[in-house]
Amino acid sequence: MTDPFFPITIGNLHASNRIIRSATNDHLGNTDGTVSDAQIDMYDALASNCVGTIITGHISVDPDPANRADIAQLCIGDDRFIDGLSRIPRKNRQYGALSVAQISHAGPRGLNPIDFNELFTGDMERITQWFIDAAVRAQKAGFDAVQIHAAHWYLLASI
């Protein structure tokens, strides 16, 4: 068995070890969808304690923060969120940890539920573009990778 504290390289990503913090909703975001100081403190605790790769909780791709899964969920649906989100990879990088942004759409589990069966082709194309734009914003914010959330009956799991 490989030592979990041994570095690993996957593609062009180099993790200092094999310890990964899986995505969990921390319920610490600001109510406007921005990163809070409490979240930065949490990432500081994770990265400073040798977590080599840290995956955020799911971040909403919908530009309207009112369509998040809950009032404390982060948003990446508009360029105005990039600067705040960049605080996460900057903090993790201080300790050599990789940062992965998990992106999602709440769909039927959102504050304003959206039923996939009621979406038209144009709606689906718009949501697809939101995911693409969110991935680009994550890169601009300094994240090393993106993970797409497609579980727990959020939009992509409700298809």
Side-chain angles (χ1 to χ4, degrees), residues 91-121:
K91 176 54 69 179
N92 293 342
R93 206 166 280 118
Q94 286 178 349
Y95 302 98
L98 293 176
S99 300
V100 179
Q102 186 188 74
I103 58 176
S104 73
H105 192 290
R109 301 216 30 211
L111 296 170
N112 295 312
I114 296 171
D115 183 346
F116 176 79
N117 295 310
E118 295 177 8
L119 295 176
F120 293 99
T121 301

Side-chain angles (χ1 to χ4, degrees), residues 74-148:
L74 296 181
C75 188
I76 195 168
D78 188 278
D79 286 351
R80 71 180 183 266
F81 296 105
I82 294 172
D83 286 342
L85 288 165
S86 71
R87 296 174 63 199
I88 297 169
R90 270 199 319 267
K91 176 54 69 179
N92 293 342
R93 206 166 280 118
Q94 286 178 349
Y95 302 98
L98 293 176
S99 300
V100 179
Q102 186 188 74
I103 58 176
S104 73
H105 192 290
R109 301 216 30 211
L111 296 170
N112 295 312
I114 296 171
D115 183 346
F116 176 79
N117 295 310
E118 295 177 8
L119 295 176
F120 293 99
T121 301
D123 298 322
M124 291 186 278
E125 290 170 349
R126 184 178 69 251
I127 292 169
T128 299
Q129 190 62 51
W130 288 345
F131 275 91
I132 294 166
D133 294 344
V136 170
R137 288 186 189 102
Q139 183 180 34
K140 288 179 180 178
F143 285 91
D144 299 293
V146 171
Q147 180 183 70
I148 297 175

Side-chain angles (χ1 to χ4, degrees), residues 8-22:
I8 186 170
T9 298
I10 301 173
N12 63 349
L13 296 178
H14 309 285
S16 59
N17 61 52
R18 296 156 191 253
I19 307 298
I20 299 172
R21 187 270 194 158
S22 184

Side-chain angles (χ1 to χ4, degrees), residues 52-69:
T53 301
I54 300 173
I55 306 171
T56 67
H58 63 133
I59 305 171
S60 177
V61 301
D62 194 315
D64 185 351
N67 292 328
R68 294 172 291 164

